[in-house]
Amino acid sequence: MWRRGERLYALLVALVVLLEALALGGLAVAFSGRLFNLFAYPVVYRAVFQALVLTGLALSGLSAYILLYHAYTARKELLERRAYEEWLTRFTQALFGGEPPPPPPWPRAALEALLNLREMLKGEFSDRIAAWLRQARPPWPRVLRARYASRPLRLEALDALAQARLPETLEVILPYLAHPDPVLRLAAARAGARVAQEEGLVPLAEALLQAGLPRGALLEVLLLLEERATPVVEAFLARGGREEVWAALEAVGRLKLLPLVERVLAFLDHADPELKAAAMRALYRLRYPPQGYEGSLLAALKDEREFLRAHAARLMGLLGNPLAQKALWRALSDPSFYVRRAAAEGLWLMDQGLLARAAESHPDPFGRAMAGQVLREGA
C-alpha cells in the first residue's frame, strides 16, 4: 500500500542503493585487481575517488529530498487547513444565514468541509448538505470505477461515500464487497451500511453474505445500520453461515430488535455452543424470558463449558418460577466464579429475599460469599 509521496521516495531510495552498489562494485574490482597486481595504484585511487563522489551525491540528494519534502508538506497542510476553514465558514453561513453557497466546482477542501458538516448535522440541514454534495458531482464514484486507482485512493473514496451517505452511490460500493483485498471489503461494508436505505438493504445483505467477512466486522456493519438493520439480520439468520448468524444474534440483542425474538429462541437448542450462547446473550439484553425453553437452560447449566453455564444462569433469572429458583440455588455451588456470579445476579432479578437467604444459609461457602457480595452491590 502506497501513501502520497512515497512512490517518489521509494524511487529515490532505489537510485541511492543502485549508486552505492555501483560504487562498492567498482571498489571491489579495483582492490581485487591491485591485490593480484593487475591494476596500478592510479586505477585504485580513481575507483576510490569515484566511490566517494557517488556516495556524496547519493546522500546529498536523499537529504535534500527529505528536507524539502517536510518543508513542502508542512506548508501544504497549513494552506489546506486554511482553505478548509474558509469553506467551512462559507457553508455554515449559507446554511444558517440563508445565503446560497458559491457555485461548483469546488476544491477538495470544500468537499471535506461538506462531509464534516454532513456528519455533524441532522434533519433539514443534513438534507441540504446532501443536495449540495450531489450538485458538486464529487469524484469518489469515479475513483471507485477507475481500473487503475491506487488502494489509498479507493479507501479514501469509500470513506468519503460513507460520510456523504448518498443512497444512489450504493451501486458503486457493492462490487467492492467481492474485492480480493480484505481491507477494501471491510471499508466497502462500512460504507454500504451507512449508505443503504430501504430499497438498498436487500442487495447489501446479499453482498454481505458472499463477502466472507469475520464475525466482528459483520457485527460492526449491523450496528452501523441501526434501525435499518432488521432486513439484513433476517437474511443472516435465514441464509447465513456460522459467522453471519453469530453477528445477527448479537445485533438482535444490542439493537433491541424485539420482533425477531422468536427467531432467536430457536437457537437455544442449537448444536453450536457459541451460537447458543449468542442467543442467550440476545434474550438477556432484550429482557425476554424464554418461557417453554426451561429444559434447554437446565441442560446448559450442566454443560461442561463454563461460558454456557454462566449465560444460562443469567438468563434463568428472567423466568421467575420455582424451577428457575431451584436451578439458580444449585448453580451457586458451581466451581466456576463466573457461574456463581451469574447465578447470584439471576436470583437478584428474581427474588432478593431468596438471595438474602442464600447469603446466610447456602451450604456452599463460596456460594454464600457470592450471594452476599451481589446483595451488597445491589444495596
Side-chain angles (χ1 to χ4, degrees):
M1 178 173 134
W2 296 95
R3 293 195 293 257
R4 290 175 181 172
E6 285 191 347
R7 293 183 184 275
L8 181 58
Y9 180 72
L11 180 62
L12 185 60
V13 170
L15 182 61
V16 168
V17 172
L18 179 61
L19 291 175
E20 287 300 304
L22 290 174
L24 291 175
L27 284 177
V29 171
F31 278 102
S32 298
R34 181 57 200 158
L35 184 64
F36 295 103
N37 293 321
L38 298 177
F39 297 146
Y41 278 110
V43 176
V44 178
Y45 295 152
R46 190 161 51 249
V48 172
F49 178 75
Q50 290 173 350
L52 289 174
V53 170
L54 287 174
T55 301
L57 288 174
L59 292 178
S60 299
L62 185 59
S63 301
Y65 173 81
I66 292 175
L67 293 174
L68 290 173
Y69 178 76
H70 282 287
Y72 166 76
T73 52
R75 178 64 178 171
K76 185 172 180 290
E77 288 174 1
L78 178 61
L79 293 176
E80 288 178 349
R81 183 64 185 174
R82 287 178 180 173
Y84 167 80
E85 292 175 352
E86 290 175 0
W87 280 103
L88 187 62
T89 302
R90 289 185 186 181
F91 287 127
T92 303
Q93 291 175 348
L95 273 176
F96 299 102
E99 301 176 0
W106 295 321
R108 178 187 178 92
L111 296 177
E112 289 180 356
L114 282 176
L115 290 179
N116 286 336
L117 285 172
R118 175 81 161 138
E119 284 284 270
M120 291 186 292
L121 300 176
K122 305 293 182 183
E124 178 186 353
F125 294 122
S126 182
D127 294 338
R128 290 177 62 186
I129 295 168
W132 291 346
L133 283 169
R134 293 186 179 96
Q135 183 183 357
R137 297 182 180 275
W140 311 306
R142 295 194 297 274
V143 171
L144 294 181
R145 291 191 182 100
R147 179 174 298 181
Y148 300 109
S150 64
R151 190 194 201 195
L153 286 177
R154 295 176 194 268
L155 289 173
E156 288 180 6
L158 288 168
D159 183 61
L161 290 179
Q163 295 180 66
R165 303 196 308 278
L166 302 177
E168 63 270 19
T169 61
L170 183 64
E171 62 177 359
V172 299
I173 295 173
L174 290 182
Y176 279 84
L177 284 170
H179 198 280
D181 187 337
V183 176
L184 288 175
R185 288 205 308 275
L186 178 58
R190 290 169 173 165
R194 304 205 64 194
V195 166
Q197 297 299 324
E198 296 177 1
E199 64 279 1
L201 292 174
V202 173
L204 176 64
E206 296 300 326
L208 288 170
L209 286 171
Q210 304 299 322
L213 292 172
R215 60 175 60 179
L218 292 168
L219 176 58
E220 179 186 357
V221 170
L222 294 177
L223 296 180
L224 284 172
L225 285 166
E226 297 178 336
E227 71 278 358
R228 298 166 287 130
T230 300
V232 183
V233 171
E234 288 178 333
F236 280 13
L237 291 175
R239 302 190 304 279
R242 186 169 181 261
E243 303 294 296
E244 289 81 9
V245 171
W246 182 92
L249 292 171
E250 287 287 332
V252 169
R254 299 191 188 201
L255 295 175
K256 303 295 188 289
L257 303 178
L258 193 58
L260 298 180
V261 70
E262 293 296 330
R263 304 285 297 275
V264 176
L265 286 170
F267 285 92
L268 291 179
D269 294 322
H270 201 278
D272 190 318
E274 292 194 15
L275 296 184
K276 185 184 296 187
M280 292 180 187
R281 284 193 298 271
L283 292 170
Y284 185 75
R285 289 188 176 113
L286 291 170
R287 291 297 190 267
Y288 187 89
Q291 302 289 348
Y293 288 86
E294 289 85 353
S296 300
L297 296 184
L298 289 173
L301 277 173
K302 299 176 182 178
D303 197 280
E304 61 182 7
R305 287 165 285 237
E306 178 187 58
F307 70 94
L308 274 182
R309 300 200 306 275
H311 286 308
R314 189 171 289 111
L315 185 58
M316 187 75 78
L318 300 178
L319 290 173
N321 54 35
L323 178 63
Q325 292 176 356
K326 293 178 181 178
L328 292 180
W329 182 276
R330 288 195 300 270
L332 282 174
S333 302
D334 195 278
S336 167
F337 168 89
Y338 300 102
V339 177
R340 293 196 303 273
R341 174 77 189 193
E345 290 175 350
L347 286 174
W348 170 264
L349 288 176
M350 185 187 308
D351 187 344
Q352 295 179 21
L354 183 59
L355 182 63
R357 191 160 72 250
E360 295 177 357
S361 59
H362 196 278
D364 187 285
F366 296 106
R368 288 199 305 273
M370 182 60 71
Q373 179 179 340
V374 171
L375 274 175
R376 289 190 296 272
E377 291 176 0

